Amino acid sequence: MDLNETKMMLVISRRLIIFAILSLVLTTILFALSFVFQQRLMLSWLVFECGIIGGFVSIQQRLKYIDIEEMQLLSQSWFSILMIPVYGGIFALVLYILFLAGLVQGHLFPAFYVPEFDTPPTTQNVVAFLTTTYPAQGADIAKLIFWSFVAGFSERFVPQIINDVTKRDTK
């Protein structure tokens, strides 16, 4: 690796660290406010943040293996660096929805307490769903955090699950 590549890698790494720290600070503030005001913890924020962190770790690990053109793009553009972690957060939220919908289930995945809906469903049912749906046990919270990180870390993980679910449902 030549001096120019090393400089670009350092610029990218610094930017990744800055964004990761800002993201963690923002999430810490949101969690602190929920505890201080004794409000329910917004799991969607936690899921999104874990996906973002997974994306940051993924980029950092791949830096040694990317070609010079991509490294130049990443070192010159803040937006390019943010794209992968933000996609990781979005993929983590999609995976969360797949868990809640029961489309991804099993011992390795989190189980959730989901309130019953009336027939026909009411607005209160939707409000209850949005405010009282939580992982069933402590281990399920840990599983949710883990899989959210994986969704951000592995770019192909959630798209592959979506592909598998759509194939399964069309058979």
Side-chain angles (χ1 to χ4, degrees), residues 75-167:
S75 68
Q76 295 169 358
S77 170
W78 288 85
F79 181 75
S80 295
I81 291 176
L82 273 180
M83 274 181 39
I84 293 172
V86 169
Y87 282 148
I90 292 168
F91 285 151
L93 287 171
V94 170
L95 184 61
Y96 180 44
I97 292 167
L98 291 169
F99 289 149
L100 290 176
L103 296 171
V104 177
Q105 296 179 343
H107 182 68
L108 292 174
F109 303 110
F112 290 86
Y113 163 77
V114 179
E116 294 287 325
F117 272 47
D118 296 328
T119 306
T122 65
T123 302
Q124 288 80 15
N125 293 141
V126 175
V127 170
F129 175 78
L130 294 173
T131 58
T132 63
T133 299
Y134 273 87
Q137 303 290 324
D140 294 310
I141 294 171
K143 290 175 187 178
L144 179 62
I145 291 169
F146 171 77
W147 288 113
S148 297
F149 177 87
V150 170
F153 182 80
S154 175
E155 292 175 15
R156 295 297 314 145
F157 180 68
V158 172
Q160 185 61 47
I161 289 174
I162 293 169
N163 191 30
D164 292 348
V165 167
T166 56
K167 283 182 182 175

Side-chain angles (χ1 to χ4, degrees), residues 1 5-13 63-64 71:
M1 186 177 299
E5 286 180 81
T6 303
K7 285 181 181 180
M8 284 189 288
M9 194 177 294
L10 287 173
V11 166
I12 296 166
S13 292
L63 276 180
K64 295 177 258 182
M71 193 175 298

Side-chain angles (χ1 to χ4, degrees), residues 33-74:
L33 290 173
S34 70
F35 286 118
V36 167
F37 294 107
Q38 298 180 347
Q39 299 295 313
R40 294 189 65 93
L41 180 64
M42 294 294 294
L43 282 181
S44 55
W45 282 105
L46 178 63
V47 165
F48 188 71
E49 176 63 26
C50 290
I52 285 176
I53 295 300
F56 282 129
V57 172
S58 175
I59 293 174
Q60 188 64 47
Q61 284 194 328
R62 289 185 301 167
L63 276 180
K64 295 177 258 182
Y65 307 108
I66 62 175
D67 60 35
I68 190 71
E69 290 84 21
E70 187 176 358
M71 193 175 298
Q72 286 173 334
L73 176 66
L74 289 172

